[in-house]
C-alpha cells in the first residue's frame, strides 16, 4: 500500500518526463536554429543526472550491510521503473554487482526485485524474463551453502523464478495479485480445465512462498528478540511481500476450489483438498507466529485465518469464507521514510532550473513571447519585467499551494484507505455474524418443525394407547385361561418326564451289562492272538537256526575244495620257478651289454649339456641387463611416474569449474568401475609376480598404464555422475572419487621408491572402487530388474496368458449358466441368466479387444524395429513394453476375479455390488491395455480403428453387466420385501430403533471405507509410479 500511495507522485513527475523527451528531440533543433547549443547540453544533462540518481538509489538499496532495505530507496527504484516504463536501468546496475560473491547482497537484491515485480511497471516482468536462467544458476550455487544466507538466497531466487513463470503463463494477474472475483473468472475463461490447472499453479506458487517463510523462521533464534536487531530485520523485511502474496493466493485458491467442486466429483479433487489442508495449516501457523513479532506490529496488520479450513464438500460454506485482508497502517515519520512530496519538489526544482537556464540565455521577455519581434505592444521593458516577476511570484505561490494540497490529499488518501480496510474487515465480520445468525435461525426452525411433528406423534400415541389398554384387558382374560391350560400341560409333562427317566435308567443298565460282555469277549480274543503270535515266532527261530547250520556246512565244503586246489597249484609253481630262473640269467647278460651302450651315450649327453649351460649363462646375462633397464625405467620418470601424473591430472580436472557442466549416467559409471576393478586385480597379480621374480617387470608396466587410464576415467565419470545425482549420494560419490584418486597416487608413488615397492598395496583403491560401484547401483533407474532380452518373451507370454484366462473365464461362465438352468427356477433363474449372459458378452468383447491389441502390437513392432529383431525392439522400448505387460496382467486378473464374483452371486453367497465393481475394474484394465497399445501406433492405422471399436464394445458390455446386475438386485429386493401385517406397535418401534442403529453403523463404516479407499489409491499411485519409473523420468 505504501508503494501504491507513492505512485501518486508520478503525476507530478510526468511534466519532467515530457520535458526531457522534448529536450532529446526538439531542443537540439531549436538550439541549432538560434545558435544556443548550451541549452541543449544542459537539458540533456538532466537525463544523465536522473540516471545517476537512480543508480545511487539502487546501490544504496542493495548493499552488503546486514540491515533491512530502506523504504525510501526501494520506493525510488519503483518510481524509476514507472519513469522509464521498464527495468533496463535496474538490471544494468544490478549486473555490475557481485551477487554471487556476497550472500547479504544477493538477499537484498531479491527483496528489491520482489518489490519491483509487485509494485513496479508492468514491463518489469518482460525486461526480467531474459535473466531467468541466470537466477536459476545463482539459486543452485547458493544452495550448496547450508548456513547463513546461502539457503535463504537459494529459496528466494526459486520463489522469484516461480513468480515470473506464473505471471508469464497468466498475464491477467497483476504483479501485486489484486483482482476482483469477476477478473478471476475471466482469467479461467469459464473452462473447468483452465481452473484446474490454475489451481495447481497457485499451489506451487504458494508452496514456494511458504518454504521461504519457514526457512527464514528456522534460521532465526526465536529465544531472543531478533526482530529488534538489524540482522533480524534484514531477514524479516522481505516477509512483508510474502505475506501480501500469500493472503491473495489463499483467497483465490479457496474460491477456485469451491468452483471446481461445483463442476467435478469430490474423488477427483481429493489430491487438491489434501494439498490445500497442508498449506492451510502451515500458513495459519506462520501468520500466527508473524503477528507476535514486534517488527511486524508497527509495519503491517497480519490477518488470522479461521480455526477450521473450509468444507469444500458443502457448497454453502463459500458464504462463510472471509477473504484475509492485510492492512498496512499510515507511515510514521522516521529516518527511513521521506515524504512523497520530495519527488514532486525535485521535479519542480528541475522544471524551475530549466526555466531559469532558458531565461538566462534568451531573456525573460523572450521566454514569455519569443516570437514577438516588433515590440509594438504599448508596454515598456520595465513594465514587462515587473509583470513577469509578478507572474512568476504568483506561479511560485500556486505551486507551493499545489504541493501542500497534494501532500494533504496523499495523507488523507492513506488514512481513508486504512479506514476503508478497517471497515471492510468489520463488514466481513458482520457478514460472517449474519450468516451464523441465519444458520442458527434455520436450525431453530428445523427444531421447531421436529417438535411439532413429535407433538402430533404424541397425540396419535395417546389415542392408540387407549385402544391398547382396551385390548390389554381382553388379553388378560385370555391369558388367565391360557395359564390354567398351561398348568395342566406342565403337570402332564412332569409325569411324562418321570416315566421317561425310569425307562432311560433301565436302558442304561442294560447297555452297561452288554458292554461288560463285549469287553470280556475282546480280552479273550486278545489273549488268543498273543498265544498264536508266540507260536509263530518260535517256529521262525527254529527255521533260522536250521538254515544257519546248512550255510556253515556248505562253507566248510568250499574251504576243503580250496585247500586241495592250492596244493595242486604249488606243485605247478615249482616247475615254473625253475624255468623263470633260466630266463632271468639270460636277461642279466643282455642288460650288461645295454649298460655299456648307455655309458657311451651318457658321455655324449654330458658334452651337449656343458654346451647348453654355456649358452644359458650368456642368455641369463642378457636378461639381467634388460631387467636392470626395466627396473631403472620403473624407478625413474618412466611408466609409474607417467601413471601417477595421469591420475593427479584427473583429480585436478575434478576441481576445474569447467567440469561442472559435464554430466554422466550411472550405467556408464558402473562399466568404468568394473573395468578399473578388473585391471586392479591384474595389477595386483603382476605386482606379486614381480616381488617373487624381478624378471616379471615386463608384465607389470603395461598393467600400470592401463590401471592409471581406467582409474582416471572412473574418477571423471564419477564426478560427472554426481552433478545429476541427489545431494546426499552426490556428496558421497564425489568424496569416494577423491579418496580413490588419492589412494591410487599413493600406490603409484610407492612403486617408484625401491624401499617401499614391496609394501605397496592397491587394496584401498579396490575398496574405493567397490563403494563407488555400490553408489552407482543406487543411482541406477529402478524397473530394470528384468533383463532386456527377456522382455519380448515376457510380452508374448503375458498376452497368451491373458487370452487363456479370458477363454477359461468364458468356459466357467457357460458351465455356471448350465448349472443355473438345471437347478434354479422362477425369478432366481431369470436373474442368473441375465447376469451370466451379460458376463459372457463382456468376455467375448474382451477377447475381441485382446486379439485387436495383438494385431496392433505386431504392426507396431514390424513398422518400428527396422532391421532389428522383435526382442531388440522390445528391449529398446522397455518402458512401453513394461506398460503392455502390466496392462495384460491386469486384464487377466480382472477376468478371473469377475468370474469368481459371478459364481458367488449365482450361488447366493456373493453380493451384486462386488460384481459391479469387478466389471468396472476389468473395463478400466482393458482401457489401460488400449492406451498402452496405441501409444506408439500410427493414427491412420486400420488395426488402431479396430482396437478403438473393440474398446467401445467393452464399454458397452460393461454397462450391460452393471445394468443387468442392478435389475437383478431390484427384483430380489422386491421379492424379499418385509411383511408388516402381523407386527404390533412395540415390535415396529423396536425394529425402527434397530434400523436407525444399523444406519448409523453403516454410515460410520462407509466413512471409514472411503478413507481406506483414498489411502489405497494413494498407495497404488505411489507403487505404480515406482514400477513405471515416474520418479526417474521426473529427475531426468
Amino acid at each position: 500500500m505504501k508503494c501504491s500511495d507513492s505512485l501518486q507522485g508520478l503525476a507530478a513527475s510526468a511534466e519532467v518526463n515530457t520535458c526531457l523527451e522534448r529536450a532529446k528531440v526538439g531542443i537540439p533543433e531549436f538550439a541549432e536554429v538560434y545558435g544556443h547549443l548550451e541549452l541543449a547540453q544542459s537539458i540533456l544533462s538532466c537525463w544523465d543526472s536522473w540516471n545517476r540518481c537512480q543508480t545511487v538509489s539502487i546501490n544504496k538499496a542493495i548493499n552488503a550491510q546486514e540491515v533491512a532495505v530502506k523504504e525510501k530507496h526501494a520506493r525510488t527504484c519503483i518510481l524509476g521503473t514507472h519513469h522509464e516504463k521498464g527495468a533496463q536501468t535496474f538490471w544494468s546496475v544490478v549486473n555490475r554487482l557481485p551477487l554471487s560473491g556476497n550472500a547479504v547482497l544477493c538477499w537484498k537484491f531479491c527483496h528489491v526485485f520482489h518489490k519491483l515485480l509487485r509494485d513496479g511497471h508492468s514491463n518489469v516482468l518482460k525486461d526480467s524474463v531474459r535473466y531467468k536462467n541466470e537466477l536459476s544458476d545463482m539459486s543452485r550455487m547458493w544452495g550448496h551453502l547450508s548456513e547463513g544466507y546461502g539457503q535463504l538466497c537459494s529459496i528466494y531466487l526459486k520463489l522469484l523464478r516461480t513468480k515470473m513463470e506464473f505471471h508469464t503463463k497468466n498475464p491477467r494477474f497483476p504483479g501485486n495479485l489484486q483482482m476482483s472475483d469477476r477478473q478471476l473468472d475471466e482469467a479461467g475463461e469459464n473452462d473447468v480445465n483452465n481452473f484446474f490447472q490454475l489451481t495447481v499453479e497457485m499451489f506451487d506458487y504458494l508452496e514456494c512462498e511458504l518454504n521461504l517463510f519457514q526457512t527464514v523462521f528456522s534460521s532465526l533464534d526465536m529465544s531472543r528478540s531478533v526482530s529488534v536487531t538489524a540482522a533480524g530485520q534484514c531477514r524479516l523485511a522481505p516477509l512483508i511481500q510474502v505475506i501480501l502474496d500469500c493472503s491473495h493466493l489463499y483467497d483465490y485458491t479457496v474460491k477456485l476450489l469451491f468452483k471446481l467442486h461445483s463442476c467435478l466429483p469430490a474423488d477427483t479433487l481429493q489430491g487438491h483438498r489434501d494439498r490445500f489442508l497442508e498449506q492451510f495449516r502451515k500458513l495459519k501457523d506462520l501468520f500466527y507466529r508473524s503477528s507476535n513479532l514486534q517488527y511486524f506490529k508497527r509495519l503491517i496488520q497480519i490477518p488470522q485465518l479461521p480455526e477450521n479450513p473450509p468444507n469444500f464438500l458443502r457448497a454453502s460454506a463459500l458464504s462463510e469464507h472471509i477473504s484475509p485482508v492485510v492492512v498496512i497502517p499510515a507511515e510514521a515519520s522516521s529516518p527511513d521514510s521521506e515524504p512523497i512530496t520530495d519527488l514532486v519538489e525535485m521535479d519542480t526544482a528541475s522544471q524551475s532550473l530549466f526555466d531559469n537556464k532558458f531565461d538566462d540565455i534568451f531573456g525573460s521577455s523572450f521566454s514569455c513571447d519569443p516570437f514577438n519581434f516588433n515590440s509594438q505592444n504599448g508596454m515598456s521593458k520595465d513594465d514587462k519585467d515587473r509583470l513577469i516577476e509578478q507572474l512568476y511570484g504568483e506561479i511560485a505561490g500556486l505551486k507551493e499551494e499545489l504541493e501542500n494540497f497534494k501532500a494533504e490529499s496523499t495523507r488523507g488518501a492513506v488514512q481513508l484507505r486504512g479506514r476503508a480496510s478497517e471497515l471492510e474487515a468489520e463488514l466481513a465480520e458482520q457478514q460472517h455474524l449474519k450468516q451464523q445468525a441465519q444458520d442458527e435461525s434455520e436450525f431453530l426452525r428445523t427444531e421447531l418443525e421436529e417438535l411439532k411433528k413429535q407433538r402430533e406423534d404424541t397425540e396419535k400415541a395417546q389415542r392408540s394407547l387407549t385402544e391398547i389398554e382396551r385390548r390389554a384387558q381382553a388379553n388378560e382374560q385370555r391369558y388367565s385361561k391360557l395359564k390354567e391350560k398351561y398348568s395342566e400341560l406342565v403337570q402332564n409333562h412332569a409325569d411324562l418326564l418321570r416315566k421317561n427317566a425310569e425307562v432311560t435308567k433301565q436302558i442304561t443298565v442294560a447297555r452297561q451289562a452288554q458292554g461288560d460282555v463285549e469287553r470280556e469277549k475282546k480280552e479273550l480274543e486278545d489273549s488268543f492272538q498273543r498265544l498264536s503270535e508266540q507260536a509263530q515266532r518260535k517256529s521262525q527261530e527254529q527255521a533260522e537256526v536250521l538254515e544257519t547250520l546248512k550255510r556253515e556246512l556248505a562253507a566248510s565244503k568250499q574251504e576243503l575244495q580250496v585247500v586241495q586246489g592250492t596244493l595242486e597249484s604249488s606243485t605247478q609253481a615249482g616247475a615254473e620257478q625253475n624255468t623263470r630262473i633260466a630266463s632271468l640269467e639270460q636277461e642279466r647278460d643282455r642288460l650288461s651289454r645295454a649298460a655299456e651302450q648307455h655309458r657311451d651315450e651318457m658321455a655324449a649327453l654330458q658334452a651337449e649339456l656343458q654346451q647348453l649351460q654355456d649358452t644359458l649363462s650368456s642368455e641369463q646375462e642378457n636378461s639381467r641387463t634388460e631387467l636392470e633397464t626395466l627396473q631403472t625405467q620403473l624407478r625413474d620418470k618412466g611408466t609409474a611416474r607417467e601413471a601417477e601424473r595421469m591420475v593427479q591430472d584427473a583429480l585436478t580436472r575434478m576441481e576445474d569449474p569447467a567440469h561442472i557442466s559435464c554430466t554422466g549416467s550411472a550405467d556408464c559409471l558402473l562399466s568404468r568401475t568394473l573395468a578399473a576393478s578388473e585391471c586392479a586385480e591384474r595389477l595386483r597379480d603382476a605386482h606379486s609376480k614381480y616381488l617373487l621374480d624381478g624378471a616379471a617387470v615386463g608384465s607389470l608396466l603395461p598393467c600400470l598404464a592401463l590401471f592409471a587410464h581406467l582409474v582416471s576415467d572412473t574418477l571423471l565419470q564419477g564426478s560427472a555422475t554426481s552433478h545429476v545425482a541427489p545431494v546426499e549420494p552426490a556428496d558421497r560419490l564425489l568424496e569416494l572419487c577423491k579418496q580413490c584418486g588419492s589412494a591410487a597416487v599413493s600406490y603409484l608413488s610407492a612403486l617408484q621408491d625401491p624401499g617401499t615397492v614391496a609394501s605397496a598395496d592397491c587394496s584401498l583403491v579396490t575398496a574405493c572402487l567397490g563403494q563407488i560401484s555400490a553408489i552407482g547401483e543406487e543411482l541406477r533407474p529402478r524397473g530394470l530388474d528384468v533383463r532386456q532380452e527377456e522382455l519380448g518373451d515376457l510380452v508374448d507370454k503375458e498376452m497368451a496368458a491373458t487370452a487363456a484366462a479370458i477363454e477359461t473365464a468364458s468356459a466357467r461362465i457357460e458351465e455356471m449358466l448350465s448349472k443355473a438352468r438345471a437347478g434354479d427356477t422362477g425369478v432366481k433363474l431369470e436373474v442368473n441368466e441375465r447376469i451370466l449372459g451379460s458376463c459372457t458378452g463382456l468376455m467375448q468383447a474382451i477377447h475381441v479387444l485382446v486379439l485387436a491389441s495383438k494385431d496392433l502390437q505386431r504392426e507396431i513392432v514390424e513398422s518400428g524395429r527396422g532391421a532389428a529383431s522383435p526382442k531388440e525392439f522390445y528391449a529398446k522400448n522397455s518402458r512401453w513394453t513394461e506398460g503392455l505387460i502390466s496392462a495384460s496382467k491386469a486384464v487377466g486378473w480382472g477376468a478371473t476375479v469377475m468370474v469368481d464374483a459371478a459364481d458367488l452371486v449365482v450361488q447366493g453367497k456373493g453380493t451384486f455390488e462386488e460384481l459391479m465393481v469387478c466389471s468396472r475394474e476389468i473395463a478400466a484394465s482393458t482401457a489401460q491395455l488400449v492406451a498402452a497399445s496405441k501409444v506408439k501406433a500410427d493414427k491412420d492405422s486400420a488395426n488402431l480403428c479396430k482396437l478403438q471399436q473393440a474398446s467401445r464394445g467393452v464399454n458397452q458390455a460393461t454397462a450391460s453387466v452393471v445394468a443387468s446386475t442392478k435389475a437383478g438386485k431390484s427384483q430380489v429386493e422386491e421379492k424379499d420385501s418385509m411383511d408388516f401385517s402381523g407386527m404390533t406397535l412395540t415390535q415396529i418401534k423396536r425394529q425402527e430403533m434397530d434400523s436407525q442403529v444399523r444406519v448409523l453403523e453403516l454410515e460410520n463404516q462407509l466413512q471409514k471405507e472411503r478413507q481406506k479407499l483414498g489411502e489405497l489409491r494413494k498407495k497404488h499411485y505411489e507403487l505404480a509410479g515406482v514400477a513405471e519409473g515416474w520418479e526417474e523420468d521426473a529427475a531426468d
Side-chain angles (χ1 to χ4, degrees), residues 66-104:
E66 195 174 1
V67 295
V69 177
K70 291 188 177 182
E71 190 66 27
K72 60 181 180 180
H73 300 319
R75 185 164 56 245
T76 302
C77 297
I78 293 171
L79 294 175
T81 60
H82 288 276
H83 180 81
E84 66 173 343
K85 296 180 177 59
Q88 293 89 350
T89 304
F90 173 77
W91 281 107
S92 64
V93 176
V94 167
N95 287 333
R96 295 193 295 269
L97 297 177
L99 300 180
S100 300
N102 192 310
V104 177

Side-chain angles (χ1 to χ4, degrees), residues 31 40 53-54 172 197 219 235 280 423 446 488 493 525 551 556 645 714 726 750 897 918 963 979 1004:
C53 178
Q54 193 71 13
R172 294 177 182 268
Q197 182 63 28
S219 67
R235 299 191 183 194
F280 173 80
L423 291 176
T446 305
E488 294 176 0
H493 182 65
E525 291 177 353
R551 285 197 298 269
S556 299
R645 188 193 63 77
T714 301
V897 172
C918 291
D979 184 13
N1004 189 16

Side-chain angles (χ1 to χ4, degrees), residues 323 346 445 582 687 768 781 791 833 965:
S323 301
M346 182 185 71
R445 188 180 297 107
H687 186 210
C768 292
L791 286 175
E833 282 185 344
T965 305

Side-chain angles (χ1 to χ4, degrees), residues 263-467:
C263 301
L264 297 176
D267 292 341
T268 306
L269 301 172
Q270 181 64 41
H272 280 53
R273 290 197 300 274
D274 295 341
R275 194 171 182 186
F276 173 80
L277 290 177
E278 180 182 0
Q279 293 184 354
F280 173 80
R281 288 191 292 268
K282 291 181 181 179
L283 185 61
K284 181 180 178 181
D285 178 61
L286 293 174
F287 274 9
Y288 176 75
R289 294 171 64 184
S290 302
S291 61
N292 294 329
L293 293 178
Q294 188 64 30
Y295 177 70
F296 290 121
K297 289 183 179 179
R298 66 182 183 86
L299 295 177
I300 189 172
Q301 293 181 7
I302 302 175
Q304 296 300 324
L305 298 184
E307 184 67 23
N308 298 317
N311 184 7
F312 299 109
L313 302 179
R314 185 167 57 90
S316 61
L318 178 60
S319 60
E320 301 174 3
H321 170 65
I322 300 175
S323 301
V325 179
V326 179
V327 180
I328 299 180
E331 293 182 357
S333 60
S334 63
D336 294 342
S337 62
E338 293 181 354
I340 303 174
T341 55
D342 292 346
L343 183 63
V344 181
E345 292 174 357
M346 182 185 71
D347 297 336
T348 307
S350 301
Q351 180 67 26
S352 61
L353 177 64
F354 169 73
D355 293 341
N356 293 335
K357 289 186 177 181
F358 196 91
D359 292 342
D360 292 340
I361 297 173
F362 297 102
S364 59
S365 61
F366 183 77
S367 63
C368 295
D369 192 5
F371 301 101
N372 188 8
F373 298 102
N374 52 14
S375 300
Q376 296 178 1
N377 51 5
M379 298 179 67
S380 64
K381 185 176 181 180
D382 294 337
D383 295 337
K384 290 181 180 179
D385 293 340
R386 284 194 300 273
L387 181 58
I388 291 171
E389 291 175 357
Q390 181 181 355
L391 291 174
Y392 270 122
E394 293 179 357
I395 291 172
L398 291 174
K399 286 183 178 180
E400 184 176 358
E401 292 179 0
L402 179 61
E403 292 169 2
N404 294 332
F405 176 75
K406 288 181 178 179
E408 291 177 359
S409 62
T410 302
R411 287 192 295 271
V414 170
Q415 294 176 357
L416 290 175
R417 286 193 181 91
R419 181 59 181 166
S421 300
E422 294 176 357
L423 291 176
E424 288 177 355
E426 291 178 0
L427 177 60
E429 185 177 0
Q430 293 296 330
Q431 289 178 350
H432 180 61
L433 294 175
K434 177 184 176 183
Q435 184 63 33
Q436 288 182 347
Q438 290 178 353
D439 294 341
E440 186 175 359
S441 175
E442 185 67 24
F443 177 73
L444 292 174
R445 188 180 297 107
T446 305
E447 286 188 349
L448 181 61
E449 292 177 356
E450 291 179 355
L451 289 175
K452 289 180 179 179
K453 291 181 181 179
Q454 290 179 1
R455 181 180 176 184
E456 294 175 356
D457 295 339
T458 304
E459 292 176 354
K460 293 179 180 179
Q462 288 178 353
R463 288 193 298 270
S464 62
L465 181 60
T466 304
E467 182 67 22

Side-chain angles (χ1 to χ4, degrees), residues 666 669-670 725 728-734 736 769-780:
L669 174 62
L670 289 174
E728 183 178 355
D731 295 340
R732 289 193 287 116
L733 179 59
L734 196 60
L736 284 174
L769 290 174
Q771 295 178 1
I772 292 174
S773 179
I775 296 178
E777 289 290 345
E778 294 178 2
L779 296 176
R780 287 187 67 190

